[in-house]
Amino acid sequence: MAFEIKPRTPEEFGPIATELRRDIIKMLLEAGSGHSGGPLGTADLYAVLYFGGYLRYNPQDPHMKGRDRFVLSAGHMAPILYATLANAGMFPKEEILTLRKYNSRLQGHPGRDMHLPGIETSAGSLGQGISIAVGMAMSDKLVDKNDARVYSLTGDGELQEGSVWEAAMSAAHFNLDNFCWLIDNNDCQIDGRCKDVMDVYPIDEKCKSFGFDTVVIDGHDYKAIMDAYDLFLDNQKKGTGKPTCIIAKTYMGRGVSFMEDEFGWHGKPPNAEQAEQALKELAAI
Ligand SMILES: Cc1ncc(C[n+]2csc(CCOP(=O)(O)OP(=O)(O)O)c2C)c(N)n1
């Protein structure tokens, strides 16, 4: 059974996010490869966006004209997107266990050519998804002149890609108040801490100077996440002409004690014993 899409109180998101995290563990165990850290870390952002009524979509009609779109720019975090779409009723839930298998629609990085409902574009080459998302927002606002919204999530390591900033510059230049940029600021990337690999800070000042209405939030606090999405909706409603940026402070691997804040879990699946432990911990939340 899929979760209902409706306005919720902050307390209602916990069980949904836990289910998403449990699904991530099950998928990765079955696949034997893939990314644990980022997907677990961002699950709370997805729970509120997809099940709190902020993203307007229709599982019965995934290509609905004028729908809002979510573009996962950090394509390696695909497991959380697949878990979310399955729990939203976009495709049968048992399909999540085909992750990374031959002939599966759920490849390691999202592929538009897989025709999986809810996947708006292919992604995996960092920096490209957000550029495509800004193009979608331009098309909605300036060509179709509808009120559709576009959300795109990048990692913080992804900010090291120059094309991210070209996209950001365009969003502000074209007054895309229908565009919301989510940054997963877990301060971890594949090789270490972001500031050690290539210092991306101060992220908030950069985003502000690029013309975004920018907020920094605790990415595991449901009320804070709701307030941030509300700010975005408000910006669009008022026609401020400013895109919104939500910098979500998160912990990689959130919910699983031995994965939390450990960049070694960026691109690793749990083994059977670790998965059992993770599911036990998640069940106890
Ligand atoms: C253009 C490009 N360069 C390099 C990579 C390899 N790569 C995949 S994920 C990743 C780290 C991304 O870090 P972050 O965005 O912080 O994601 P997180 O580690 O939090 O999941 C890198 C360098 C890639 N996918 N695309």
Side-chain angles (χ1 to χ4, degrees), residues 108-270:
H109 296 71
R112 179 85 170 121
D113 52 344
M114 297 293 132
H115 303 291
L116 188 70
I119 298 297
E120 299 287 357
T121 187
S122 302
S125 191
L126 298 174
Q128 292 190 352
I130 184 172
S131 305
I132 296 168
V134 168
M136 289 172 177
M138 281 178 73
S139 162
D140 282 329
K141 183 168 178 181
L142 307 178
V143 181
D144 295 338
K145 300 188 196 305
N146 61 25
D147 74 341
R149 306 172 195 127
V150 182
Y151 299 78
S152 185
L153 186 142
T154 67
D156 46 10
E158 185 173 4
L159 304 182
Q160 295 153 359
E161 280 295 335
S163 55
V164 166
W165 300 102
E166 294 176 45
M169 214 183 321
S170 304
H173 179 79
F174 291 104
N175 303 315
L176 300 182
D177 48 22
N178 60 336
F179 180 68
C180 182
W181 178 10
L182 302 170
I183 299 177
D184 174 36
N185 188 197
N186 59 13
D187 198 37
C188 288
Q189 59 180 105
I190 195 166
D191 288 326
R193 295 277 170 198
C194 294
K195 54 175 117 21
D196 297 330
V197 178
M198 170 78 79
D199 196 347
V200 292
Y201 295 96
I203 300 173
D204 55 343
E205 284 176 31
K206 285 192 174 75
C207 296
K208 274 182 207 160
S209 73
F210 268 75
F212 280 70
D213 191 1
T214 304
V215 284
V216 182
I217 62 164
D218 173 347
H220 304 303
D221 176 337
Y222 299 118
K223 171 77 169 64
I225 298 170
M226 292 170 77
D227 287 348
Y229 289 150
D230 281 330
L231 171 78
F232 166 50
L233 265 49
D234 219 39
N235 273 336
Q236 189 197 24
K237 205 156 88 190
K238 287 189 188 138
T240 60
K242 266 189 169 230
T244 302
C245 176
I246 301 171
I247 300 171
K249 296 266 181 202
T250 65
Y251 288 106
M252 178 172 270
R254 175 72 168 191
V256 178
S257 59
F258 56 90
M259 293 187 187
E260 264 193 35
D261 205 24
E262 293 287 343
F263 65 79
W265 284 98
H266 159 92
K268 214 169 58 170

